[in-house]
Amino acid sequence: MPVAKPESSDSRVIAHVDMDCFYVQVEQRKQPQLRGLPTAVVQYNEWKGGALIAVSYEARKFGVKRSMRGEEAKEVCPQVQLVQVPVARGKADLSGYRNAGSEVVSILARRGRCERASIDEVYLDLTDAAEMMLADNPPQGMETIDEEALKSHILGLNNEDGSDVKENVRKWIHRHNADHRDKLLACGILIVAELRMQVLKETEFTCSAGIAHNKMLAKLASGMNKPAQQTVVPFSSVKGLLDTLPIRKMKQLGGKLGISLQMDMGVNTVGDLLQFPEEKLQERYGINTGTWLWNIARGISGEEVEGRLLPKSHGSGKTFPGPRALKTVPAVQHWLNQLCEELSERLCSDLDQNKRIAHTLTLHARAYKSSDTDSQKKFPSKSCPLRYGTAKIQEDAFNLFQAGLREYIGFYGGKTQGSHCSGWGITSLSVSASKIVPIPSGTCSIAKYFQGQSTSHFSSMQSSDNLNTEATLSLPSGSECYSEVNLSEPKIDFPKEESWIKDTVPDLDLQEQKDLSSTLSEKTQDGFIQEDISPLLLSGCLEQNRSKQQQDLTKDESQFKSEYKERKGKRLKDKGTYSIIELFKSYNPNPSGSFLSHEYNRTVGGTDASSSSYSRDEEEGRREAWGYNIDEIDSSVMEELPTEIQDEIKSWMQPHKRRPNNMVKRSCTISHYFSPSKKS
Ligand code: DCP
């Protein structure tokens, strides 16, 4: 299959910026007396001094490595300063590092499209800025070139003749006869040097960068000269770079694919791939991977820098190695509650700061069976629609765990309840929230409107959520990531009811993997395959929850009402999402609990949980449940809503124009719209 070389990619200016020994720098900023000293950050786990997760360049000179434990590090470098990762809820608290990463991103994003790739890595598309510089103030004509830019490493630039390296760089930047691509890269050199200096000035952090014509080459280059340096890959140097580059150094070839290339095809360097026609690679590895391999051998990558400053998911996890494995359901529940509490906090702050909501909650675990005949069997990851509120997330995550456990041990294979050891152990647990999208404009105003009228809307929202969960017998899941802020084009999908349960594979990005790995002590890429939740497996959990929820109803509603009154009394500035955020944040029913409105009870008590038609009386009932005066709905707000919902509201306003047979698609009801548990 012939592949067209992406025409424009050669003249893009892409930078990959990577912070140097990031966690160490964050700790050194907090404790300036550590600056310049060999320092390492250790994981929260005191065994043998804790595992090192970040090592300063001073400590690296003494042979201190990330794979070591604190005690080993002390052996090779007695003066090494070990700083423990901050701890909250009995586990590593990475919020300080995340926030520090955000500080850097906000600076780097000033000159072009910026993609936050992990907690400490960013891609920048500086093509427009470079073109502009070339047009207005080309480097070739500049009298002086910034010192930092002169320290750049330009691949292919011959520095071996003893000539002044900086002078060579200056000449390269000043070349008048350079081709357009090199002139653009020269602009990139200046822009990135300036951005890096700005980061240092504003945050006190150093970073390194790679500057090239695509993401793949920029990423390769950024790690070549660390710390606090930048490396440039001119087009003419690409072949030389790849010819000798061990394939395992390529981001995607560190795993099984890389091993297969080495073992089965005798490919040791990226350049070795050049000998294979594209068809041969496709035959062996499939069309897409084959083409991708053919392209990378030639340094071709059309991958765009996505405008993405925020995480695509949020995650919270913890490992329980060796004797710390969790062996009882209550022990698992205890830790799940901690993880969910952290996740919920981050979801609320994302909602608060970025006006985004997550749609999917996922539970991952690693487990073993003491009498294991099938050691390959993995604990199945489970996911379900995400409901906001710490208690709901805790409840849903626990249900997901139980579903996973039953599947893992076999339906009749063991005891999943109770506090006694049942022949299994959990060695890692994590919860994540994904499918995060901006709240559509208009939601805020409607939410405000509903909130201002009555509390019952909230119970309707919740009940609708439950309704969907019940109707499809799915349960919740969750994690952390970086996603595009695009408030103008919200993506709101309205799933068909029958497709509510989704077989999803979580899109854990590097950031999330790093985050999870630091709490799980190792970077893991596998074990995240999710599977459907079998209704049979879940039905027990659901029954259990229903009766508990019913018991807690009165308590929940009065608790909520008093909280609501209190907030109203304080005259919160409930403008836009602010009000809905406050509501999510402060409403925290007891751990078992969800609100149960009459709508919920009707559904649960009814015979057909998936029924989507309402009688006229029922519809009147729903109007009451929402507790608002239809005449007061602002028509401008109406226009912001999806057409299905507009239709629904219009049918209430004009009863004679109701849908035939009063049919209302449940997945398109207003309550569903506000529920964060829609499948996207
Ligand atoms: N991290 C972690 N667990 C890992 C790997 C990394 O917790 N297994 C954390 C600590 C690191 C941060 O992520 O400081 C960034 O990881 P990098 O791989 O980018 O490494 P550093 O920034 O520490 O060093 P370098 O300068 O080599 O990039």
Side-chain angles (χ1 to χ4, degrees), residues 313-600:
S313 65
H314 297 288
S316 176
K318 184 170 171 68
T319 51
F320 307 95
R324 292 179 194 192
L326 307 177
K327 295 181 181 135
T328 66
V329 170
V332 171
Q333 191 170 20
H334 165 80
W335 281 109
L336 267 183
N337 285 347
Q338 308 300 310
L339 300 178
C340 291
E341 206 175 290
E342 185 195 336
L343 182 65
S344 180
E345 225 170 62
R346 281 161 60 192
L347 286 169
C348 278
S349 103
D350 200 352
L351 184 62
D352 197 0
Q353 290 165 15
N354 311 313
K355 318 287 178 266
R356 302 192 310 158
I357 50 171
H359 286 172
T360 302
L361 177 72
T362 302
L363 175 122
H364 306 288
R366 284 191 175 173
Y368 67 82
K369 287 184 238 179
S370 27
S371 56
D372 206 349
T373 48
D374 179 13
S375 59
Q376 297 303 310
K377 190 169 177 182
K378 285 182 176 160
F379 193 99
S381 294
K382 297 288 180 191
S383 63
C384 68
L386 190 146
R387 301 185 298 157
Y388 273 70
T390 306
K392 284 179 192 305
I393 294 174
Q394 289 170 333
E395 175 192 336
D396 292 342
F398 182 56
N399 284 337
L400 287 179
F401 170 76
Q402 287 192 307
L405 183 61
R406 287 178 200 209
E407 203 173 306
Y408 178 69
I409 60 179
F411 197 65
Y412 302 104
K415 196 175 158 190
T416 62
Q417 297 285 346
S419 54
H420 300 295
C421 176
S422 302
W424 49 265
I426 298 295
T427 54
S428 87
L429 266 181
S430 74
V431 284
S432 63
S434 57
K435 304 244 159 68
I436 307 182
V437 296
I439 297 176
S441 56
T443 308
C444 323
S445 34
I446 272 264
K448 175 197 162 195
Y449 179 78
F450 286 140
Q451 183 176 2
Q453 298 297 318
S454 156
T455 59
S456 59
H457 73 277
F458 194 70
S459 65
S460 279
M461 284 160 66
Q462 299 300 328
S463 68
S464 172
D465 202 339
N466 287 332
L467 182 79
N468 284 307
T469 303
E470 296 293 334
T472 57
L473 294 168
S474 75
L475 283 176
S477 74
S479 145
E480 160 159 319
C481 87
Y482 295 96
S483 108
E484 190 163 19
V485 187
N486 183 357
L487 294 171
S488 59
E489 292 182 357
K491 282 189 193 158
I492 301 294
D493 295 328
F494 292 89
K496 290 183 190 138
E497 283 187 338
E498 60 272 22
S499 62
W500 186 257
I501 298 175
K502 197 180 164 200
D503 201 3
T504 50
V505 177
D507 45 354
L508 301 186
D509 64 0
L510 196 62
Q511 161 61 41
E512 181 181 9
Q513 286 164 17
K514 259 184 195 171
D515 278 5
L516 289 178
S517 71
S518 64
T519 46
L520 303 180
S521 324
E522 57 182 311
K523 286 192 181 183
T524 56
Q525 306 233 0
D526 54 354
F528 289 110
I529 308 297
Q530 298 172 69
E531 293 163 38
D532 274 350
I533 299 171
S534 148
L536 186 63
L537 292 173
L538 287 181
S539 56
C541 311
L542 292 170
E543 283 305 327
Q544 219 177 316
N545 291 336
R546 278 175 201 152
S547 58
K548 187 111 174 42
Q549 283 168 340
Q550 276 159 350
Q551 281 166 19
D552 294 332
L553 169 63
T554 322
K555 192 174 152 200
D556 278 352
E557 275 189 336
S558 61
Q559 181 192 344
F560 177 75
K561 278 179 183 159
S562 75
E563 281 177 17
Y564 177 78
K565 270 188 200 152
E566 201 180 306
R567 277 197 303 283
K568 210 172 167 192
K570 283 184 201 154
R571 295 207 168 274
L572 284 173
K573 295 172 276 171
D574 58 340
K575 282 208 188 315
T577 46
Y578 183 75
S579 54
I580 206 164
I581 291 161
E582 287 301 321
L583 204 62
F584 284 139
K585 266 187 177 169
S586 53
Y587 172 60
N588 196 4
N590 68 57
S592 67
S594 311
F595 269 62
L596 296 176
S597 73
H598 68 267
E599 186 176 351
Y600 176 82

Side-chain angles (χ1 to χ4, degrees), residues 20-23 53 57 60 66 120 226 514 518 523:
D20 304 315
C21 56
F22 188 48
Y23 287 13
I53 52 172
Y57 283 83
R60 291 183 203 195
R66 183 143 71 191
D120 74 333
K226 272 186 151 255
K514 259 184 195 171
S518 64
K523 286 192 181 183

